[in-house]
Amino acid sequence: MRLSLRSATTLLIAAVVTLLPGTARADVTYPDPQPITGQQIIHDPTVLRLKSGGYVAYSTGGVIGARTSRDRVRWDDAGNAFDRPPSWWYEYNDTGDPWAPDLSYRAGRYWLYYAVSSWGTNHSAIGVATSPSGLPGTWTDHGKAFASERTDSWNAIDPALIQADGRLWMSFGSYWTGIRMVELDPRTGKALPDAQVHHLATRPDAPYAVEGPYIVKHGRHYYLFASYDTCCAGVNSTYRIRVGRSTSVTGPYVDSTGKPLLEGGGDLLLAGHGRYVGTGGESIFKDRGRDVLAYHYYDAADGGTPKLGLNTLTWKKNGWPAVL
C-alpha cells in the first residue's frame, strides 16, 4: 500500500514516540476504559440503569459511596447509600466501614448487598437492604444475609447475586479458600437455613488470591468472573479479571482449556496496561440490551487514584466473553 508523505510522516513520528524512554505505548491486547467525566473516583463499583432513567453506581468508601449519571458519561457525587452506618456493622469493624456492594433489581424492588469486615480476617458478614427507587438515601437495611466466622474456611465478603432456574443464589469470597456460593430465600433475600456452601474457584498457592466474583448467564452457560492477585495497593496493585464457565450455576467452572477454576484455572479477560493499573473489583450490568463491564483501576497518571472503568462486554462465536 502506498502512503502519502503526510501519512508516512505521521507513522514515523508515532514509531519514534513509541521508542522514546518513558513514553506510554497503547496496549493492543486490552482496551482502555470508555471516556467518562465528572466524579471518576470509585472502588469496587456496582452499576445499574434505573427504571426511572439514568444510572447509579455504589462502591466501597463512605457509607457505601454513591454516584449518579444521566448518560453514563458524566458522573456526579451523590453522597452515600445510607445516612449513617446501621449499628450492627460495628460488630465487624470499629469504623462501621462497608465494602464491595452489589446492586440488583428483583420483585419490584432494588436490592443492595454489601460486606462488613476487617482487613485480614474472615470474621465477616454480608448485609442486605432494599429501596423502591435504588437512589441514595432511600435504603432500608434488613441486617445480615450471611456471615462467616474465624472457624470457617471461607470469607463472607464481595457478594454478587444471580437468579438461576427459579432460584436465587449469592456468590461471594475473598482469599481463604476462594469463591463460594449459597442459596438465598427469595422472599427475605437472606441465606436459607443450613444452606450448603458451594465451592466455585480457588488458587493452588497461598494466599489463594482470588476474590470479587460476579456471575452472568449467556446462552447455556454461566460465566464466573473474578479478580485475581493484589488489590488496594495503588500503582503496585496487580488485580486482573479472569473468567470460567459452567452449565450449572453451582459449577464446576472451567476455563477455555478445560482447566477447573478450583485448580487455579481462568481465562485472562482484562489486565492492567499503560496508566490503567490493577483492573478488578468488577460487576456487569445490562444497558439497552448490551452487557457492560464495570470495574476500578488505579490511575498511574494520577498518583494511583482508583477510578471507574466501563467497557462493553461482547461474546465471541465460541461463547467466550471479550472486552471492547
Side-chain angles (χ1 to χ4, degrees), residues 182-259:
V182 292
E183 187 175 358
L184 305 181
D185 181 334
R187 183 181 59 84
T188 64
K190 299 182 178 183
L192 292 172
D194 301 318
Q196 180 182 351
V197 180
H198 300 271
H199 203 184
L200 307 186
T202 191
R203 304 279 290 275
D205 52 325
Y208 315 109
V210 52
E211 59 187 2
Y214 200 89
I215 298 175
V216 297
K217 189 176 185 184
H218 180 76
R220 67 187 187 92
H221 287 98
Y222 295 93
Y223 290 80
L224 168 60
F225 300 79
S227 297
Y228 284 57
D229 300 320
T230 303
C231 169
C232 314
V235 295
N236 295 315
S237 301
T238 57
Y239 243 17
R240 62 198 69 198
I241 301 171
R242 293 185 179 271
V243 61
R245 72 184 186 185
S246 173
T247 54
S248 169
V249 73
T250 57
Y253 287 85
V254 300
D255 64 22
S256 62
T257 71
K259 185 174 182 178

Side-chain angles (χ1 to χ4, degrees), residues 1-322:
M1 179 178 67
R2 296 183 64 184
L3 296 173
S4 69
L5 179 59
R6 177 177 293 178
S7 297
T9 302
T10 300
L11 286 175
L12 177 60
I13 291 171
V16 170
V17 169
T18 298
L19 294 174
L20 285 175
T23 59
R25 182 175 62 85
D27 190 313
V28 297
T29 304
Y30 304 109
D32 294 347
Q34 297 166 0
I36 62 172
T37 63
Q39 177 55 274
Q40 302 177 44
I41 299 173
I42 207 164
H43 206 277
D44 303 322
T46 180
V47 182
L48 204 62
R49 182 177 174 87
L50 298 172
K51 299 291 184 182
S52 59
Y55 305 82
V56 66
Y58 290 104
S59 65
T60 297
V63 193
I64 307 180
R67 310 280 185 267
T68 55
S69 176
R70 287 185 294 181
D71 57 9
R72 219 181 77 192
V73 175
R74 177 177 174 81
W75 292 86
D76 297 309
D77 192 336
N80 298 296
F82 298 96
D83 293 331
R84 61 183 62 86
S87 59
W88 70 267
W89 292 6
Y90 293 98
E91 178 185 342
Y92 294 91
N93 61 58
D94 294 336
T95 58
D97 181 25
W99 301 346
D102 175 73
L103 180 64
S104 58
Y105 182 82
R106 179 178 61 83
R109 292 188 290 175
Y110 292 89
W111 297 74
L112 186 67
Y113 287 76
Y114 56 85
V116 281
S117 185
S118 297
W119 193 267
T121 176
N122 66 334
H123 175 60
S124 310
I126 293 169
V128 58
T130 57
S131 163
S133 69
L135 292 170
T138 67
W139 292 96
T140 299
D141 190 65
H142 302 291
K144 302 176 193 178
F146 186 72
S148 60
E149 300 300 337
R150 293 179 178 88
T151 53
D152 291 321
S153 60
W154 54 81
N155 193 12
I157 72 169
D158 296 353
L161 265 66
I162 182 170
Q163 296 186 76
D165 301 321
R167 298 162 73 179
L168 186 63
W169 301 88
M170 180 176 69
S171 58
F172 66 91
S174 171
Y175 287 67
W176 270 262
T177 54
I179 306 304
R180 299 280 185 153
M181 171 176 274
V182 292
E183 187 175 358
L184 305 181
D185 181 334
R187 183 181 59 84
T188 64
K190 299 182 178 183
L192 292 172
D194 301 318
Q196 180 182 351
V197 180
H198 300 271
H199 203 184
L200 307 186
T202 191
R203 304 279 290 275
D205 52 325
Y208 315 109
V210 52
E211 59 187 2
Y214 200 89
I215 298 175
V216 297
K217 189 176 185 184
H218 180 76
R220 67 187 187 92
H221 287 98
Y222 295 93
Y223 290 80
L224 168 60
F225 300 79
S227 297
Y228 284 57
D229 300 320
T230 303
C231 169
C232 314
V235 295
N236 295 315
S237 301
T238 57
Y239 243 17
R240 62 198 69 198
I241 301 171
R242 293 185 179 271
V243 61
R245 72 184 186 185
S246 173
T247 54
S248 169
V249 73
T250 57
Y253 287 85
V254 300
D255 64 22
S256 62
T257 71
K259 185 174 182 178
L261 267 63
L262 282 170
E263 298 176 11
D267 288 0
L268 186 57
L269 179 75
L270 183 64
H273 57 284
R275 67 186 288 182
Y276 309 103
V277 177
T279 53
E282 75 290 334
S283 61
I284 297 165
F285 66 101
K286 284 278 189 185
D287 190 9
R288 297 181 175 92
R290 303 197 73 179
D291 292 314
V292 180
L293 178 72
Y295 58 94
H296 68 248
Y297 65 89
Y298 301 93
D299 190 346
D302 190 17
T305 300
K307 294 183 179 179
L308 175 63
L310 296 172
N311 287 87
T312 299
L313 192 70
T314 189
W315 301 89
K316 304 175 187 177
K317 289 183 178 179
N318 63 7
W320 288 93

